[in-house]
Amino acid sequence: MEITAVLLAILYLVLVVKQNILCWLAGIISSVLYFFILRSASLYMEAYLQIFYVFMGFYGWSQWRMGRSSRNNFVVNTWSKSKHFFAISLILIFSSISSFFLKSFTDAALPFFDALVTYGAIVATYMVAKKLLENWIYWLVIDSISILLFISRDLLLTAFLFGIYVVIIFFGYKSWNKILKENNAATP
């Protein structure tokens, strides 16, 4: 099951880089599989994050589909520094609160980091759905931490997947940044 989830997750990210709407379908199926994998590894926040990914898959699909069909071409955009400050603050606050509850009431492995990558991924997934360039930077941080988390739980294939993600992130950022610059140059 982990091999199938990994392959679909790689397909998801490659299709995101290419801005292919089918990325969302690959992501949905991978997330369903990863829910069971991560739950059995006691990474509860990561497991339940997969349910969020399924819903965001449908949301992302609708956003990209709607953007494609509208007159206003759905293009790569950016956030202001204040929006990033707000998003990062929320990630850290919710991670700290969740970590406390996970430590107190579960046998969760590495509760703060489990929560940190979960809330970071929620924000970053939203950013992908909205085609915000900075999603790639958020994913770089999240996926780097995730590699260590998965290694600690002996999910080596998944850790390897996230290593591949880190490499693909650089191509995704470069591709989306080029599109953003072209769109800005074309806008009067």
Side-chain angles (χ1 to χ4, degrees), residues 9-147:
I10 291 170
L11 178 62
Y12 161 77
L13 193 55
V14 168
L15 292 173
V16 167
V17 170
K18 295 179 179 215
Q19 296 187 55
N20 184 318
I21 197 167
L22 293 176
C23 67
W24 298 107
L25 180 60
I28 289 167
I29 297 168
S30 176
S31 296
V32 169
L33 296 175
Y34 263 115
F35 171 80
F36 297 104
I37 294 165
L38 295 167
R39 191 145 181 354
S40 69
S42 298
L43 292 171
Y44 302 120
M45 293 291 295
E46 283 279 314
Y48 288 99
L49 173 63
Q50 304 309 307
I51 295 169
F52 170 78
Y53 283 157
V54 169
F55 286 107
M56 283 303 292
F58 290 109
Y59 175 74
W61 178 283
S62 71
Q63 289 293 295
W64 285 28
R65 187 170 155 214
M66 189 172 46
R68 246 189 350 190
S69 65
S70 72
R71 285 187 203 178
N72 300 332
N73 201 8
F74 190 46
V75 296
V76 176
N77 209 337
T78 61
W79 264 356
S80 66
K81 288 180 184 176
S82 62
K83 284 187 179 180
H84 287 294
F85 178 77
F86 180 72
I88 292 168
S89 296
L90 282 179
I91 291 167
L92 293 172
I93 290 166
F94 282 113
S95 297
S96 297
I97 293 168
S98 294
S99 175
F100 170 77
F101 285 107
L102 286 168
K103 283 180 194 174
S104 301
F105 301 109
T106 74
D107 63 342
L110 302 168
F112 178 77
F113 292 108
D114 187 14
L116 181 69
V117 298
T118 299
Y119 291 114
I122 289 170
V123 171
T125 302
Y126 174 79
M127 294 171 76
V128 172
K130 292 296 192 180
K131 286 195 177 181
L132 295 167
L133 175 67
E134 298 92 343
N135 88 81
W136 299 105
I137 297 167
Y138 281 61
W139 283 121
L140 178 63
V141 173
I142 294 161
D143 291 351
S144 298
I145 295 169
S146 293
I147 291 169

